[in-house]
Amino acid sequence: MIQSFSITDIGKRRKLNQDYVFSSVCPVGKLPNVFVVADGMGGHNAGDYASKCTVEKMEQKIRESFEENPVRVLRSAIEYANDYIRRQAKENASLAGMGTTVVAATVCGNVLDVANVGDSRLYIANDKEIRQITRDHSLVEEMVRMGGIDKQAAKVHPDKNIITRAVGAFDTVEADFFQTVLQEGDIVLLCSDGLTNMLEDEEIRQIICSGESLRKRAEMLIDAANNNGGKDNISVILVDPFADEVKE
């Protein structure tokens, strides 16, 4: 039986939490489970509205879908949410310019399907390594890919928070999709950049592989990010795909 734990925290500096998380180890529509992290942006309460609405509209669309292919289900859910957010922004001036990142995943057996828009991330961690599965849709990530700067310079670049794709940013939205086979011992992490901007990947891996309960590990990640400055909202979903399998 798959297990998960999700948590979101306002951090040390922000007055609002514009992150929103959804986690279900039970079936949602045709998908066996669904995990989503959204990191909203926009003035006043527009960012938290965008992230909450996007996740709720995605869940609604997934529940209603008769499609069984995970990529098609997640793509149509993201597009449906994008259309809704665009309409709301046009109808309400206070919501103009709002948008949100989305990273979503579902696990079927040992296969992980992931959808991503923006710079929230999905990682797979185990005793040996931590791998970032998603690729950030951000200005500095484009610079890294083109060889303009390296990963370390990207972490402290003044434009690191400028994202190039978001749900609600344009009339059409393009998500990236990834599929990978999970191995026993793998833990899946979905998170907002409030975590990854505060901690190095190896620090994240060590906490994830600490052997504590999923709840404790998630809380330790939040605490570590806050102890390092907590400059943004922090959201974490940890998923153990093989929780009940007998360990030899």
Side-chain angles (χ1 to χ4, degrees):
M1 175 69 179
I2 190 171
Q3 290 184 1
S4 75
F5 184 78
S6 61
I7 185 170
T8 183
D9 187 85
I10 196 169
K12 293 282 188 71
R13 305 279 185 88
R14 298 295 173 93
K15 292 185 170 64
L16 282 173
N17 189 348
Q18 296 190 322
D19 288 1
Y20 199 81
V21 299
F22 175 85
S23 177
S24 175
V25 296
C26 299
V28 182
K30 298 288 187 181
L31 298 184
N33 45 70
V34 176
F35 311 99
V36 187
V37 168
D39 178 358
M41 58 198 180
H44 302 293
N45 66 342
D48 58 322
Y49 181 86
S51 59
K52 183 174 188 288
C53 266
T54 292
V55 175
E56 288 175 347
K57 291 300 170 184
M58 284 181 63
E59 181 194 355
Q60 177 191 334
K61 188 67 173 176
I62 292 167
R63 288 193 188 281
E64 293 172 352
S65 178
F66 293 104
E67 177 63 62
E68 295 189 5
N69 180 287
V71 171
R72 290 179 187 157
V73 175
L74 293 173
R75 178 182 282 120
S76 64
I78 290 170
E79 289 173 349
Y80 180 72
N82 189 75
D83 291 345
Y84 183 85
I85 294 296
R86 293 292 289 174
R87 283 200 309 275
Q88 293 296 305
K90 286 170 183 172
E91 292 168 8
N92 187 335
S94 69
L95 300 176
M98 68 175 172
T100 184
T101 70
V102 164
V103 60
T106 184
V107 179
C108 185
N110 66 341
V111 176
L112 173 72
D113 280 290
V114 186
N116 181 57
V117 181
D119 64 353
S120 293
R121 294 178 178 177
L122 184 142
Y123 290 87
I124 296 174
N126 55 43
D127 286 340
K128 297 184 180 69
E129 62 176 357
I130 182 168
R131 289 184 290 135
Q132 182 182 337
I133 303 301
T134 53
R135 287 185 315 204
D136 296 352
H137 300 136
S138 68
L139 199 60
V140 294
E141 184 61 25
E142 298 291 340
M143 293 162 69
V144 169
R145 283 204 280 269
M146 293 174 71
I149 58 173
D150 62 24
K151 284 277 189 187
Q152 282 308 115
K155 283 187 78 76
V156 296
H157 196 282
D159 295 331
K160 70 180 179 187
N161 292 324
I162 298 176
I163 59 175
T164 54
R165 291 191 216 171
V167 174
F170 302 103
D171 286 339
T172 58
V173 61
E174 183 184 356
D176 283 348
F177 294 89
F178 307 88
Q179 186 180 80
T180 188
V181 175
L182 297 165
Q183 309 290 334
E184 188 163 331
D186 285 347
I187 299 293
V188 178
L189 164 68
L190 296 83
C191 62
S192 60
D193 66 348
L195 181 76
T196 53
N197 283 339
M198 293 292 101
L199 298 175
E200 297 293 336
D201 286 1
E202 179 57 22
E203 294 176 278
I204 293 170
R205 189 195 71 80
Q206 288 180 12
I207 292 171
I208 289 175
C209 297
S210 63
E212 302 284 351
S213 67
L214 282 186
R215 172 193 285 269
K216 180 65 174 174
R217 283 178 266 181
E219 291 172 345
M220 287 166 67
L221 287 170
I222 298 287
D223 289 345
N226 276 325
N227 289 340
N228 279 5
K231 293 179 181 177
D232 200 353
N233 309 143
I234 313 153
S235 292
V236 167
I237 301 177
L238 289 177
V239 183
D240 184 347
F242 310 106
D244 289 348
E245 295 197 6
V246 177
K247 308 291 192 292
E248 291 187 8

